[in-house]
Amino acid sequence: MGLLSNSGFEIMFFLIFFLILGAFFVMLFQGIRQWNKNNHSPRLTVNASVVAKRTNVSHHHHHNANMAVSHSTSTSYYVTFEVESGDRMELHVSGSEYGMLAEGDYGRLTFQGTRYLDFVRS
């Protein structure tokens, strides 16, 4: 019985390991594909207004060799723009850009695919 349960543990360990490894490679592939698609998209500048802002805070727990736990957080910033046609797009922006933009701002949005490049108020 002990040999059988040990073998079951090894199988489960490798299944979970390869599942996590596979998920990592899928995410890596998707990121590279989006980066490439953005690079091949035209740079567009359109009239737009800022209609919403949001943040996404991620909490991270780190364990070191001494079994001590440290915590860190990271924040991602997103702004939703509405163009003259009524279409909306949410773009990832830097923290400094996020702080400079306010809901209701109107101006010229420059973007490339899903990549935010600039917003100039008018």
Side-chain angles (χ1 to χ4, degrees):
M1 183 74 175
L3 180 62
L4 202 56
S5 65
N6 188 25
S7 177
F9 171 77
E10 289 176 4
I11 291 170
M12 287 301 293
F13 175 81
F14 284 110
L15 283 175
I16 292 171
F17 173 77
F18 286 115
L19 183 66
I20 292 171
L21 188 64
F24 171 78
F25 281 114
V26 166
M27 290 174 51
L28 179 66
F29 176 74
Q30 288 175 338
I32 291 170
R33 188 175 69 191
Q34 184 64 54
W35 175 82
N36 189 46
K37 183 179 176 185
N38 284 342
N39 285 344
H40 288 91
S41 295
R43 288 180 178 230
L44 300 175
T45 300
V46 296
N47 292 326
S49 60
V50 176
V51 294
K53 295 170 57 174
R54 75 176 178 92
T55 59
N56 182 30
V57 179
S58 301
H59 302 278
H60 308 278
H61 305 279
H62 308 279
H63 301 272
N64 67 16
N66 297 331
M67 299 303 286
V69 178
S70 63
H71 304 277
S72 65
T73 60
S74 62
T75 305
S76 297
Y77 301 93
Y78 300 91
V79 177
T80 301
F81 296 93
E82 184 174 308
V83 297
E84 291 179 322
S85 66
D87 291 330
R88 292 183 175 196
M89 66 181 80
E90 183 179 65
L91 300 174
H92 182 264
V93 300
S94 68
S96 59
E97 286 288 330
Y98 182 87
M100 297 297 291
L101 296 170
E103 289 184 20
D105 282 352
Y106 183 81
R108 304 279 292 164
L109 169 66
T110 303
F111 64 98
Q112 184 177 21
T114 61
R115 186 181 298 146
Y116 170 86
L117 298 175
D118 191 31
F119 184 79
V120 178
R121 278 175 215 76
S122 54

